Amino acid sequence: MRKNQYKRHRSFFTAQKAITLVIILCFLLVIGALIYSLTYNPEEHTKSTIENLSQDYYENYLYPSFSDADSFKNNPESVMEKYVKFGFPTVSLRQLLLYDNHKNEKYADELEKNCDKDQTIIKIFPEAPYGKTDYRIEYTYSCEF
């Protein structure tokens, strides 16, 4: 009979520890969710995502198409000078999401919640010495936050 009491007593404490652990985990999850909801800014997140997509577009897609040309290697100024003042043609958010075989399509649902894919545009201006990271981007957001 003592053995049976010991097993029940031990299983009670094990169950009590498990319940306490579950309560602590739930408490931590609630605190984490509260902190996230207080610090999350949809406007900041959306703009940051668009900026990252724009940088990737220029540095890894558009720029290589120019820099691989022999004329660019010999004289980058002559190739880029016509884009310095007026920039490259505007690029819509839709294009940023779909270029390079829909590379960034995973961001579409998130960005479409706040922004118009056709009216949110970027304009890229190369700057001397015309390296991969020598440019500026002007953003025109058509978003509601």
Side-chain angles (χ1 to χ4, degrees):
M1 186 139 155
R2 264 184 120 39
K3 228 179 190 185
N4 216 5
Q5 279 182 325
Y6 176 73
K7 283 183 180 178
R8 280 191 294 179
H9 185 66
R10 187 172 175 192
S11 66
F12 172 76
F13 282 112
T14 303
Q16 189 178 18
K17 286 181 184 179
I19 290 170
T20 303
L21 182 63
V22 168
I23 290 171
I24 290 171
L25 287 174
C26 287
F27 178 74
L28 291 174
L29 285 172
V30 168
I31 295 298
L34 181 64
I35 290 170
Y36 177 77
S37 69
L38 292 174
T39 58
Y40 178 74
N41 182 335
E43 178 177 3
E44 210 172 277
H45 181 71
T46 299
K47 286 183 176 181
S48 174
T49 302
I50 293 171
E51 289 170 12
N52 290 336
L53 294 175
S54 302
Q55 288 174 334
D56 180 65
Y57 174 77
Y58 182 74
E59 293 175 13
N60 299 314
Y61 185 74
L62 186 62
Y63 183 79
S65 68
F66 282 90
S67 63
D68 289 343
D70 288 334
S71 59
F72 184 88
K73 290 175 184 172
N74 295 333
N75 190 0
E77 292 84 15
S78 67
V79 174
M80 295 297 212
E81 69 184 350
K82 63 182 173 183
Y83 301 108
V84 171
K85 185 174 181 181
F86 298 107
F88 291 101
T90 58
V91 179
S92 69
L93 178 56
R94 178 184 306 276
Q95 290 169 291
L96 288 176
L97 294 170
L98 298 178
Y99 81 93
D100 202 9
N101 294 319
H102 301 255
K103 175 180 175 180
N104 299 310
E105 194 171 30
K106 60 188 171 204
Y107 301 106
D109 291 338
E110 174 188 342
L111 294 173
E112 286 175 353
K113 289 179 188 175
N114 298 322
C115 299
D116 182 311
K117 290 191 306 185
D118 297 314
Q119 298 301 315
T120 300
I121 57 173
I122 64 163
K123 186 115 175 133
I124 301 170
F125 298 85
E127 296 180 337
Y130 309 111
K132 184 176 185 175
T133 58
D134 299 318
Y135 63 94
R136 68 183 166 83
I137 302 176
E138 292 181 0
Y139 301 90
T140 304
Y141 297 102
S142 179
C143 304
E144 292 182 20
F145 301 103

